[in-house]
Amino acid sequence: MPSNAGQSTKDDKSGAPPLPPPLAVPVADSHTHLDMQSGTVEEGLAKAASVGVTTVVQVGCDIKGSRWAAETAAAHDSVHATVALHPNEAPRIVHGDPDGWSRQGAREAGNQGVARRASVEGGGGRRVGGAALEEALAEIDRLAGLPQVKGVGETGLDHFRTGPEGKAAQERSFRAHIEIAKRHGKALVIHDRDAHADVLRVLKEEGAPERTVFHCYSGDAAMAEICAREGYFMSFAGNVTFKNAQNLRDALAVAPLELVLVETDAPFLTPAPYRGRPNAPYLIPVTVRAMAAVRGIDEDALATALAANTARAFGY
């Protein structure tokens, strides 16, 4: 412990939270973004393992990130990968990304190889962007076939960041990811933001994969009951500890234990009392203990279930 641990400074409140007491029963972080966190992968994994987080699922959000996830999982036994175009990535491929939000740099609509060839041959921007989306989905399909890739995601719908003009591309991409997951026999990892009814509708229309995970579960208890009937896994993140998240705690209380997972979504959604500071897999024990309190069960019992559930969800 550092010598100034008892002091309260602005740096303390903005820096990395301290290590929590370790869990007695090892668990997995079912959804994290190591490529967005500080330090090396090796440092992050060692820090997590020191507190009982011995497995992580590294999630891809675009082509670059999905390739990185697959490469990182191949290099580390404790890392499994998922690959996808994030729901907000698909519309940017089709309609353009002038501000570089997707981390692949600023680009015009369809600014990828297939799209550039289509542009030379003629056709409007929408056709060009559609060709680029197909090219990107083909790469996700290729990556999904790799043995270290255990899931397809995060995919889904996001009505918070994507406006009406991007909904068609977003839903098209979501449906394609569902098909890829089913064909490869991989888990489907869903990003659902302000889109509960539409996500459930598309899953019903397409037929959900055998193993479907709602990452950073954001529904209420009623939706949790729907997910339970369908056999969908519900993964809870650090926001289940937030004061204004009673709906998440209500959902966690009614979700069948065998369908519950835990995640960080790091570097985002750092659990209380460290909200606003950088998140990382080593903080999973904070969320596990909060979840155990909501469920009214021993943390070791919950950790045992979480570990088994994550392995079953991702097939490792």
Side-chain angles (χ1 to χ4, degrees), residues 25-31 55 57 80 150 187-189 210-214 231-236 252 255-263 291 295 297 300-316:
V25 177
V27 299
D29 180 348
S30 77
H31 191 112
T55 304
V57 178
H80 304 294
K150 303 300 184 183
L188 181 73
V189 179
E210 181 179 350
R211 292 168 289 127
T212 296
V213 178
F214 274 78
Y232 301 153
F233 291 92
M234 291 161 271
S235 183
F236 291 85
L252 174 60
L257 183 58
E258 65 271 16
L259 294 177
V260 173
L261 310 180
V262 65
E263 66 175 83
M291 291 171 64
R295 300 280 309 197
I297 61 175
D300 290 356
L302 178 58
T304 299
L306 292 170
N309 294 349
T310 312
R312 191 171 77 256
F314 290 98
Y316 62 79

Side-chain angles (χ1 to χ4, degrees), residues 7-241:
Q7 301 175 16
S8 177
T9 68
K10 290 184 178 180
D11 288 340
D12 290 336
K13 293 180 180 179
S14 63
L19 283 169
L23 295 168
V25 177
V27 299
D29 180 348
S30 77
H31 191 112
T32 196
H33 302 282
L34 295 169
D35 51 332
M36 301 182 193
Q37 298 166 36
S38 62
T40 68
V41 169
E42 291 75 17
E43 290 168 346
L45 295 177
K47 200 171 183 181
S50 74
V51 295
V53 183
T54 55
T55 304
V56 304
V57 178
Q58 168 63 26
V59 176
C61 293
D62 53 30
I63 295 299
K64 180 179 178 180
S66 293
R67 287 171 176 161
W68 189 92
E71 292 166 1
T72 302
H76 300 276
D77 291 341
S78 61
V79 180
H80 304 294
T82 73
V83 298
L85 305 177
H86 189 281
N88 294 321
E89 173 71 358
R92 290 175 182 273
I93 291 174
V94 173
H95 299 292
D97 187 15
D99 60 1
W101 177 90
S102 70
R103 298 187 302 130
Q104 298 202 64
R107 60 176 182 261
E108 298 176 355
N111 190 16
Q112 297 190 32
V114 165
R116 284 194 292 273
R117 291 193 294 274
S119 181
V120 171
E121 296 168 2
R126 187 172 300 278
R127 176 190 169 206
V128 170
L133 180 58
E134 290 305 314
E135 181 181 65
L137 288 168
E139 176 64 1
I140 295 301
D141 188 9
R142 182 190 72 81
L143 292 168
L146 298 174
Q148 71 270 29
V149 173
K150 303 300 184 183
V152 174
E154 58 187 280
T155 181
L157 301 175
D158 188 320
H159 292 171
F160 178 78
R161 290 192 180 276
T162 294
E165 72 285 352
K167 286 187 176 180
Q170 197 171 84
E171 187 165 315
R172 173 183 170 189
S173 178
F174 183 25
R175 291 179 187 274
H177 281 81
I178 293 172
E179 190 278 329
I180 291 170
K182 290 195 292 187
R183 181 156 39 82
H184 288 284
K186 303 294 173 79
L188 181 73
V189 179
I190 292 177
H191 171 107
D192 164 25
R193 188 166 187 186
D194 293 355
H196 304 325
D198 283 335
V199 166
L200 292 171
R201 170 182 58 80
V202 172
L203 286 173
K204 184 175 182 179
E205 291 172 356
E206 294 294 322
E210 181 179 350
R211 292 168 289 127
T212 296
V213 178
F214 274 78
H215 128 72
C216 188
Y217 181 84
S218 58
D220 57 13
M223 182 174 165
E225 292 174 349
I226 294 173
C227 290
R229 288 198 299 272
E230 299 296 334
Y232 301 153
F233 291 92
M234 291 161 271
S235 183
F236 291 85
N239 56 341
V240 75
T241 69

